[in-house]
């Protein structure tokens, strides 16, 4: 498989780089094409691949590049589905796949594949599932996929009997054909990526491709409270198992403050550090993955109790003097901050603001029940102040996060949540939002150690 073939890789990025490395070492002729100019890409990786024999075409997509001499077109997931090379490949009978499909075809025998998708929650569910499975099986377990680790990158280490836990995006699912997870999880479905696929109906059909090669011997773990998930999976052949945050069901469910698995109490919601009912659902999905692998309750519960979430996404940072700190710096839009505010029922001091790009803070109006104060920061802080004043919420304005952070602690009490969920991009002051989140976490660390009071 994939030996002595002529292969065009469309799109560089991480997946293109890893796919090229694998393919060139297997004796293939590999041409990598990217519309970006070479100077804007990772020169070290380009030089590495050039030394291995990969040929590059940068800066455009020449009309005469793709012809019938190619055996495969490997498309980066982010490349549009109607790209001219994709359309031409289909005319020429050239198979169009992606890096995930290519890597899967090179798996050793008897690898257990756990694949997780969904509109929301897939990264958290994948991360927690990996942590639990890793705690049980150690070095036999690998993390891969849309979470930032191309599947190709683990091929050299992967052996028969190993376990792969991976996040699969809708763009990756588009070009999968033989991909066959033993355990597949659908966290939820809601309208998303309409610009990429053209309609919600097409998006849903692509998402359900996760289960297309499963049989009754395989497991599908599904959110029973999501109508679109149930509708789209009616005809799959997998053995279906369900989780619910609303009703006691034959599966994994939340009853009051406790999570049960087929009637057996696993843990209390109070044991979960990550906030919000959506994260309770993510935890239940991860529990169901673990149970399919016969992992003990002790390992499951111990891992969940330590899990602070995906970095920068409603990430629990620490509790200092009874105040809980959450880093949600990746909430760069109003919708994400709405979700964050819906995740708590304790008093919240909200850090809001950043780059000015006309965001409508009044879309947060229905989510302010527990917000006791707002600390406005960044370029758009004056509009945050106007919003808070109209909503009759005490507000304090600072240009920089470090100054606003001091005020948060000053006005807070034991039991309060101090939440960085800015509903704004960070480019007014930071190169990326993760830098803002790292600063927030450093300030919490300094507070814990008495340096910032």
């Amino acid at each position: 498989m994939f030996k002595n073939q002529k292969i065009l890789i469309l799109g560089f990025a991480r997946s293109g780089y890893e796919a090229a490395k694998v393919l060139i070492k297997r004796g293939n002729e590999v041409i990598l094409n990217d519309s970006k100019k070479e100077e804007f890409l990772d020169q070290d990786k380009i030089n590495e691949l050039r030394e291995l024999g990969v040929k590059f075409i940068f800066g455009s997509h020449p009309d005469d590049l793709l012809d019938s001499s190619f055996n495969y077109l490997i498309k980066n997931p982010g490349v549009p589905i109607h790209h001219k090379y994709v359309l031409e490949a289909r005319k020429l009978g050239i198979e169009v796949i992606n890096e995930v499909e290519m890597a899967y075809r090179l798996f050793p025998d008897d690898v257990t594949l756990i694949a997780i998708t969904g509109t929301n929650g897939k990264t958290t569910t994948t991360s927690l599932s990996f942590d639990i499975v890793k705690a049980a099986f150690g070095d036999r377990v690998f993390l891969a996929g849309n979470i930032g680790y191309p599947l190709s990158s683990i091929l050299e280490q992967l052996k028969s009997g190993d376990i792969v836990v991976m996040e699969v995006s809708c763009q990756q699912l588009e070009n999968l054909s033989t991909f066959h997870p033993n355990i597949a999880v659908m966290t939820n479905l809601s309208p998303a990526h309409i610009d990429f696929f053209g309609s919600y109906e097409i998006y849903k059909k692509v998402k359900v491709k996760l289960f297309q090669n499963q049989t009754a011997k395989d497991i599908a773990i599904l959110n029973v409270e999501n109508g679109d998930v149930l509708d789209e999976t009616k005809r799959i052949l997998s053995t279906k198992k369900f989780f619910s945050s609303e009703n006691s069901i034959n599966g994994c469910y939340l009853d009051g403050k406790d999570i049960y698995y087929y009637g057996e109490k696993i843990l209390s919601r109070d044991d979960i550090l990550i906030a919000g009912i959506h994260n309770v659902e993510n935890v239940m999905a991860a529990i169901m993955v673990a149970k399919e692998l016969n992992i003990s309750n002790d390992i499951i519960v111990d891992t969940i109790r330590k899990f602070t979430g995906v970095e920068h996404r409603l990430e629990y940072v620490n509790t200092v003097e009874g105040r809980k700190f959450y880093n949600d710096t990746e909430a760069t839009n109003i919708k994400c901050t709405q979700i964050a505010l819906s995740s708590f029922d304790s008093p919240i001091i909200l850090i809001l603001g950043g780059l000015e790009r006309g965001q409508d803070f009044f879309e947060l109006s229905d989510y302010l029940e527990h917000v006791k104060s707002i600390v406005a920061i960044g370029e758009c802080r004056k509009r945050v102040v106007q919003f808070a004043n109209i909503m009759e919420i005490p507000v304090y304005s600072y240009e920089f996060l470090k100054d606003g952070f001091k005020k948060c602690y000053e006005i807070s009490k034991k039991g309060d949540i101090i939440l960085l969920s800015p509903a704004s991009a960070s480019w007014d002051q930071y190169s990326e939002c993760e830098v803002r989140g790292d600063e927030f976490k450093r300030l919490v660390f300094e507070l814990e150690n008495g340096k910032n009071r």
Side-chain angles (χ1 to χ4, degrees):
M1 180 70 70
F2 299 115
K3 287 188 176 180
N4 304 314
Q5 306 285 295
K6 186 177 180 182
I7 301 171
L8 175 62
I9 298 176
L10 179 56
F12 191 37
R14 282 185 242 188
S15 65
Y17 163 73
E18 294 290 351
K21 263 203 312 187
V22 169
L23 291 169
I24 200 70
K25 290 177 181 178
R26 294 178 67 84
N28 297 287
E29 180 184 355
V30 180
I31 296 94
L32 199 156
N33 172 234
D34 196 291
S35 62
K36 294 188 180 72
K37 293 182 178 179
E38 182 172 344
E39 56 263 34
F40 298 116
L41 297 167
D42 190 321
Q43 197 61 55
D44 289 339
K45 290 181 177 178
I46 292 170
N47 291 338
E48 176 191 359
L49 293 179
R50 274 207 176 107
E51 289 179 9
L52 290 171
V54 175
K55 302 170 187 175
F56 288 95
I57 298 172
F58 290 118
S60 68
H61 301 301
D63 289 338
D64 59 354
L65 173 59
L66 185 66
D67 58 33
S68 59
S69 66
F70 285 89
N71 302 103
Y72 294 96
L73 171 62
I74 297 180
K75 182 181 86 68
N76 183 284
V79 172
I81 58 178
H82 298 302
H83 190 281
K84 66 180 181 179
Y85 287 173
V86 175
L87 300 179
E88 184 63 21
R90 288 178 178 148
K91 286 182 186 177
L92 295 170
I94 299 168
E95 187 175 10
V96 180
I97 60 175
N98 57 31
E99 175 270 336
V100 172
E101 176 69 19
M102 183 214 80
Y104 174 75
R105 294 184 189 183
L106 296 174
F107 267 23
D109 292 336
D110 298 322
V111 170
T112 298
L113 176 59
I114 300 161
I116 297 161
T117 198
T119 303
N120 297 301
K122 55 186 178 291
T123 302
T124 298
T125 303
T126 303
S127 299
L128 179 54
S129 297
F130 170 76
D131 285 356
I132 296 171
V133 179
K134 181 80 171 176
F137 297 104
D139 292 340
R140 291 173 49 199
V141 185
F142 295 86
L143 179 66
N146 191 57
I147 201 164
Y149 307 98
L151 200 55
S152 301
S153 67
I154 66 171
L155 281 176
E156 288 188 3
Q157 296 86 27
L158 201 60
K159 304 180 299 297
S160 179
D162 286 344
I163 303 169
V164 175
V165 182
M166 69 174 297
E167 175 186 335
V168 190
S169 71
C170 55
Q171 290 91 344
Q172 289 171 326
L173 285 163
E174 167 66 21
N175 293 113
L176 297 183
S177 57
T178 68
F179 185 81
H180 182 169
N182 305 93
I183 302 170
V185 180
M186 179 83 78
T187 58
N188 48 62
L189 281 175
S190 61
H193 300 290
I194 308 302
D195 55 339
F196 192 86
F197 289 104
S199 73
Y200 182 40
E201 290 304 313
I202 295 175
Y203 168 76
K204 288 187 291 184
K205 299 303 180 191
V206 169
K207 277 291 194 183
V208 83
K209 286 179 69 176
L210 186 68
F211 310 97
Q212 68 183 350
N213 295 315
Q214 285 196 311
T215 70
K217 294 180 181 179
D218 304 306
I219 302 298
I221 295 171
L222 308 171
N223 186 344
V224 76
E225 302 303 338
N226 187 284
D228 285 342
V229 168
L230 296 185
D231 288 343
E232 295 301 321
T233 57
K234 281 179 180 176
R235 295 176 182 84
I236 66 174
L237 302 178
S238 330
T239 296
K240 300 177 190 177
K241 299 193 176 183
F242 300 99
F243 62 91
S244 172
S245 60
E246 298 180 22
N247 297 286
S248 298
I249 62 166
N250 192 31
C252 194
Y253 58 91
L254 178 68
D255 186 358
K257 297 195 75 174
D258 297 321
I259 293 175
Y260 291 82
Y261 178 81
Y262 289 93
E264 175 191 17
K265 180 182 172 181
I266 304 298
L267 79 167
S268 168
R269 184 175 176 180
D270 292 338
D271 292 320
I272 301 172
L273 292 174
I274 50 178
I277 194 66
H278 62 293
N279 276 324
V280 172
E281 293 179 342
N282 297 333
V283 167
M284 288 191 288
I287 288 171
M288 298 195 79
V289 168
K291 285 293 191 177
E292 290 303 316
L293 300 175
N294 297 314
I295 297 174
S296 71
N297 287 351
D298 287 344
I299 290 175
I300 293 171
V301 173
D302 183 61
T303 307
I304 292 171
R305 283 175 172 163
K306 295 174 182 176
F307 186 72
T308 57
V310 177
E311 190 175 21
H312 304 306
R313 300 184 188 184
L314 205 55
E315 172 194 12
Y316 169 75
V317 180
N318 206 349
T319 300
V320 181
E321 296 293 327
R323 289 90 163 159
K324 289 186 176 181
F325 291 82
Y326 285 85
N327 164 33
D328 194 32
T329 187
E330 287 204 13
T332 57
N333 57 61
I334 296 292
K335 179 64 178 177
C336 289
T337 300
Q338 289 174 345
I339 293 171
L341 293 175
S342 300
S343 299
F344 301 98
D345 53 15
S346 299
I348 299 169
I349 297 171
L350 174 64
I351 302 173
L352 192 63
L355 181 71
E356 177 59 83
R357 53 181 180 183
Q359 56 272 53
D360 184 358
F361 294 108
F362 287 94
E363 291 180 8
L364 297 175
S365 300
D366 293 336
Y367 298 84
L368 300 173
E369 177 184 0
H370 300 295
V371 176
K372 60 181 281 188
S373 299
I374 292 174
V375 172
I377 63 169
E379 186 178 63
C380 65
R381 62 190 180 278
K382 289 183 179 178
R383 286 205 305 111
V384 173
V385 170
Q386 292 172 353
F387 161 69
N389 285 336
I390 291 172
M391 301 309 298
E392 298 183 341
I393 295 174
V395 62
Y396 309 87
S397 178
Y398 299 89
E399 182 177 3
F400 299 110
L401 172 61
K402 63 181 180 180
D403 300 317
F405 183 89
K406 292 179 181 178
K407 190 64 176 180
C408 289
Y409 183 76
E410 177 186 318
I411 62 177
S412 64
K413 298 178 180 178
K414 287 185 177 180
D416 287 353
I417 304 293
I418 297 176
L419 171 65
L420 172 65
S421 188
S424 309
S426 61
W427 300 316
D428 57 330
Q429 296 177 10
Y430 305 90
S431 59
E432 54 189 4
C433 68
E434 291 85 355
V435 177
R436 178 173 62 189
D438 288 338
E439 179 179 341
F440 179 77
K441 292 197 288 184
R442 177 179 57 78
L443 292 167
V444 176
F445 175 79
E446 291 176 354
L447 181 67
E448 181 185 24
N449 290 276
K451 296 180 182 178
N452 198 17
R453 299 188 192 178

